[in-house]
Amino acid sequence: MSEMILLRAHALALYEEMARDDKIICVGEDIGPYGGIWKTFSGLQQMYGDGQTTIGGRVLQMPMEEAGYSLFACGAAMMGYRPVVEIMYADFSTLAFEAIVDVAAKFRYNAQGKNSLPITFILPQGVGAGSGAHHSQSVESWYANVPGLKIVAPSTPSDVRAFLRASIRDDDPVLFIWHRGLMMGKEDVPDTLAPEDVPALTNAAKIVKEGNDLTVVAYQRSLAVAQVAAQEVEAETGKTIEIIDPRVLIPFDKEAMFKSLRKTGRLLVSHDAPERGGFGSQIITWAVEELGTELKNNPVSVCGKNIVIPFNKLEDYVVPNKDELKAGMKKALGL
């Protein structure tokens, strides 16, 4: 085991998968000698070539043209490659919308199931750097309404490493979304990850903390805040709170949530994206449809505010904080 920040775990996953499969290519801005804006591609071009000075190079630095290089990746996937496409900020994925939504997501259907586009689109999202409205949004719900896409949203270094590898191996287009506010988070990560230990993208939910009185489903930055809030609520109320990190949003591990809810009878959902139209609403819908008569209280959502993300420290006021989560937990508990 080695202590590793999230960014290093991300880079390690890319290195491991590129070493395993010579059909994996990396596509994006500044991913060459600079190693990417987040340094998650450091050393890869030197190792695997740039595709210009090196015939067959596999780390392809592109101009600032998300629409163009995302469509290029679709073409490469049609020819048998497995592209990893980094969009520098998740917000900029709007410029790659055609490639993601109208080409990659629909290709398996249009090919009558005979072919697919195994592309991993890497989207760094979220607050944490004071970057403002165009660099800080949480985008998972923008794409959750698109059939044909899988959405992966891990929160810890170990899960980033494991689920990025799983995303690259998957035969369908995957949006791999990591949170910039967690990029320096540290954790002990296994030195090796055997092929059989790379997880599937199904049944992916993890019980982060066990409890009996309330189920909390949260991911990424909101998950970290919920863990702190739960400790304080438990100390103040004597209740115990179970926390689930879904890790993969599509396909969502409904059964793990249902199992927890049959025990607790109460649900709180939290994420940084705005509450209106957020993925949390879908989670609550699944819970009510399956277990509506068994729930002891109405589900509660503690999510981002429905306003544009401001610059600097003002961003703290538009995403869930500890006190808001504590209040939401007590409400869900009926206290």
Side-chain angles (χ1 to χ4, degrees):
M1 302 285 283
S2 301
E3 188 177 63
M4 194 175 294
I5 63 170
L6 185 149
L7 292 179
R8 175 59 187 147
H10 184 301
L12 177 60
L14 289 174
Y15 169 80
E16 290 173 322
E17 285 302 296
M18 291 194 76
R20 183 189 63 85
D21 185 349
D22 62 9
K23 288 297 184 180
I24 295 170
I25 61 172
C26 296
V27 181
E29 301 166 13
D30 292 330
I31 65 171
Y34 189 66
I37 188 174
W38 313 109
K39 301 300 183 183
T40 49
F41 293 83
S42 293
L44 289 181
Q45 191 177 74
Q46 293 90 324
M47 186 175 296
Y48 292 110
D50 60 11
Q52 298 177 25
T53 61
T54 306
I55 296 175
R58 296 165 54 199
V59 180
L60 311 179
Q61 180 164 303
M62 294 292 184
M64 295 179 66
E65 179 53 61
E66 288 85 354
Y69 67 72
S70 295
L71 285 168
F72 165 83
C74 290
M78 292 177 193
M79 298 305 294
Y81 289 92
R82 305 183 77 87
V84 175
V85 180
E86 186 188 57
I87 308 295
M88 191 179 288
Y89 291 87
D91 317 60
F92 302 167
S93 66
T94 54
L95 302 169
F97 203 76
E98 172 71 9
I100 296 171
V101 172
D102 283 335
V103 180
K106 296 174 174 61
F107 192 77
R108 182 185 286 278
Y109 173 82
N110 289 335
Q112 298 181 320
K114 297 176 182 178
N115 296 295
S116 65
L117 298 187
I119 308 171
T120 302
F121 295 95
I122 295 177
L123 308 181
Q125 74 169 13
V127 302
S131 304
H134 297 95
H135 298 78
S136 308
Q137 297 169 96
S138 295
V139 306
E140 64 273 7
S141 64
W142 300 359
Y143 296 101
N145 195 239
V146 180
L149 296 177
K150 296 177 180 178
I151 301 178
V152 178
S155 306
T156 67
S158 290
D159 286 343
V160 163
R161 188 254 197 109
F163 281 93
L164 179 51
R165 294 188 65 178
S167 298
I168 294 170
R169 295 182 185 195
D170 198 90
D171 287 331
D172 286 306
V174 177
L175 302 186
F176 182 86
I177 302 174
W178 61 270
H179 197 288
R180 295 189 304 124
L182 303 176
M183 63 184 174
M184 299 305 292
K186 294 181 179 179
E187 183 182 53
D188 286 337
V189 175
D191 294 322
T192 59
L193 187 66
E196 62 270 19
D197 293 330
V198 173
L201 298 185
T202 55
N203 305 316
K206 176 172 65 175
I207 304 298
V208 175
K209 178 187 173 303
E210 294 188 353
N212 297 310
D213 300 301
L214 170 64
T215 298
V216 172
V217 179
Y219 51 91
Q220 298 195 329
R221 193 204 66 91
S222 287
L223 171 68
V225 180
Q227 289 174 275
V228 176
Q231 290 181 339
E232 295 189 11
V233 170
E234 288 181 336
E236 294 170 10
T237 67
K239 303 293 186 179
T240 60
I241 298 171
E242 185 148 292
I243 301 178
I244 298 176
D245 178 2
R247 302 194 290 188
V248 175
L249 301 182
I250 297 177
F252 189 79
D253 189 352
K254 297 179 190 177
E255 290 306 317
M257 178 177 70
F258 295 158
K259 181 179 179 181
S260 178
L261 285 174
R262 290 188 176 99
K263 176 174 60 173
T264 69
R266 298 178 175 89
L267 174 64
L268 180 144
V269 177
S270 184
H271 54 62
D272 281 11
E275 180 181 35
R276 184 180 62 229
F279 195 75
S281 298
Q282 180 61 67
I283 294 173
I284 289 174
T285 296
W286 284 325
V288 171
E289 287 179 343
E290 180 73 14
L291 299 168
T293 59
E294 299 179 47
L295 297 179
K296 301 173 184 177
N297 204 350
N298 292 333
V300 173
S301 63
V302 181
C303 301
K305 309 296 189 301
N306 297 315
I307 61 176
V308 174
I309 297 173
F311 282 98
N312 299 323
K313 285 295 182 180
L314 289 174
E315 69 182 10
D316 294 342
Y317 294 95
V318 304
V319 291
N321 61 42
K322 183 187 70 173
D323 290 339
E324 290 170 338
L325 272 158
K326 286 179 64 176
M329 291 173 183
K330 290 178 180 179
K331 179 180 179 181
L333 287 164
L335 302 175

